[in-house]
Amino acid sequence: MLQTPPTRFAYLGPEGTFAEAALSTAVAPGEGVRQPAASVAAALAAVRAGEADAALVPLENSIEGSVPATMDGLTDGDPLVVVREVFLTVSFVLAARPGVGLAQVGTVVSHPHALAQTARTVAGLLPGVPTLPASSTAAAARAVADGEYDAAVCAPIAATRYGLVPLVEDVADHPGAVTRFVLVSRPGDLPAPTGNDKTSLVVVVTDRTGALLDVLREFSVRGISLTRIESRPIRDRLWFYSFALDCEGHVAEARVGEALAALHRVSEDVRFLGSYPRADGRTNRPVPDEAADAAFTEAGGWLARLRAGEV
């Protein structure tokens, strides 16, 4: 458990974002104060500065992949750790101010991920109408309400909150998309192992043949399954990359801890991003007998006896 339960929660704002909806599923209304932030970077900065105890930010989408602002924000700067993940099915509406119909829409605004997930449908409804980026779907809805744009692709809750009227419901090109959010805090006591956990980290390797294979081998030989792997550019080293990884298991488990220690030895850097309960509805694969904690304990005892001359 965390040393002190968080009571101040930052999230990607403004009010009416999917992040707010995801936070509402993770934290009961009376459990703490919610603080909308202007961007993912601002939400993470609030935690680092002590202005919030935790931040709920989007990490990846089942259609569009990872959210670069979140991955970069967790990789750079003072360390933050994931203490929980939240999955939210997202749906979009095309919304405008009352009295505005499809024929009057000359601009459409939304978050880039939302625009990408609705591009084909919106283009079919509004051929030739330009789409413009916003920091969030709720910010797009607010901008439309303020008269800056004609229509927004946003969550139904955002349309309602900002007094917009849906012109078309369910405009996603692939209905049923899911966004994975993570709740992050400053380093402290980790969530206790549950037996069905994930561990996240970023590994930086040198530019050499077989570098990625060496990283993957540390997981494979210990029977650890990866649930996600993504290459990320290293900003201050042109054409060099790091690898963002999620694996099954908890750092408190011997095999996961040993894998991270091995990566620390063979890599330029390893940034631990947390061990936390798995929330995607799946169950971790069974641990092979030779990779169970008991096997590590027995092997360690055998080695100690050898070193003590008890051959």
Side-chain angles (χ1 to χ4, degrees):
M1 298 296 291
L2 295 174
Q3 291 176 324
T4 303
T7 58
R8 300 170 299 162
F9 298 93
Y11 67 90
L12 175 61
E15 295 180 354
T17 58
F18 289 112
E20 183 188 20
L23 182 59
S24 296
T25 70
V27 180
E31 285 189 21
V33 177
R34 290 156 169 75
Q35 306 169 197
S39 64
V40 167
L44 299 179
V47 178
R48 289 186 169 111
E51 298 166 0
D53 302 316
L56 196 287
V57 291
L59 183 65
E60 62 177 325
N61 178 267
S62 60
I63 302 297
E64 289 303 307
S66 68
V67 179
T70 300
M71 283 308 309
D72 292 342
L74 293 176
T75 301
D76 300 329
D78 293 338
L80 295 172
V81 293
V82 177
V83 296
R84 183 170 182 175
E85 64 178 5
V86 179
F87 290 83
L88 182 73
T89 300
V90 297
S91 61
F92 301 101
V93 297
L94 180 67
R97 294 182 298 279
V100 175
L102 282 174
Q104 286 78 49
V105 173
T107 53
V108 176
V109 63
S110 193
H111 186 275
H113 268 205
L115 292 175
Q117 292 178 62
T118 60
R120 187 173 64 246
T121 301
V122 171
L125 293 167
L126 300 167
V129 172
T131 56
L132 303 166
S135 60
S136 69
T137 54
R142 185 173 63 184
V144 170
D146 291 341
E148 298 176 31
Y149 306 97
D150 298 323
V153 173
C154 62
I157 186 177
T160 299
R161 186 158 296 181
Y162 293 102
L164 305 182
V165 177
L167 301 177
V168 183
E169 307 273 0
D170 297 325
V171 292
D173 295 340
H174 302 280
V178 175
T179 296
R180 177 190 177 200
F181 294 84
V182 288
L183 186 67
V184 302
S185 69
R186 292 180 297 280
D189 290 345
L190 299 175
T194 67
N196 197 44
D197 304 292
K198 285 181 184 176
T199 292
S200 297
L201 61 151
V202 175
V203 181
V204 179
V205 296
T206 57
D207 182 20
R208 59 180 174 82
T209 301
L212 177 57
L213 179 61
D214 289 344
V215 170
L216 299 179
R217 184 183 295 115
E218 300 300 343
F219 295 98
S220 177
V221 297
R222 295 173 178 84
I224 301 171
S225 294
L226 295 178
T227 61
R228 174 175 171 266
I229 180 169
E230 176 190 3
S231 63
R232 301 290 305 164
I234 300 175
R235 291 181 174 182
D236 56 355
R237 300 175 65 183
L238 189 62
W239 310 126
F240 278 70
Y241 294 85
S242 61
F243 296 96
L245 306 166
D246 290 346
C247 71
E248 294 183 347
H250 194 286
V251 69
E253 298 172 6
R255 63 191 184 120
V256 177
E258 187 177 274
L260 267 61
L263 289 174
H264 180 73
R265 291 197 306 270
V266 303
S267 306
E268 283 197 32
D269 188 30
V270 178
R271 172 163 283 207
F272 175 70
L273 297 181
S275 290
Y276 47 90
R278 189 169 189 169
D280 57 5
R282 298 182 180 181
T283 301
N284 286 357
R285 293 163 180 79
V287 179
D289 290 342
E290 65 273 16
D293 278 10
F296 280 88
T297 300
E298 191 280 330
W302 173 79
L303 180 60
R305 291 192 297 274
L306 290 183
R307 288 171 170 169
E310 301 174 14
V311 180

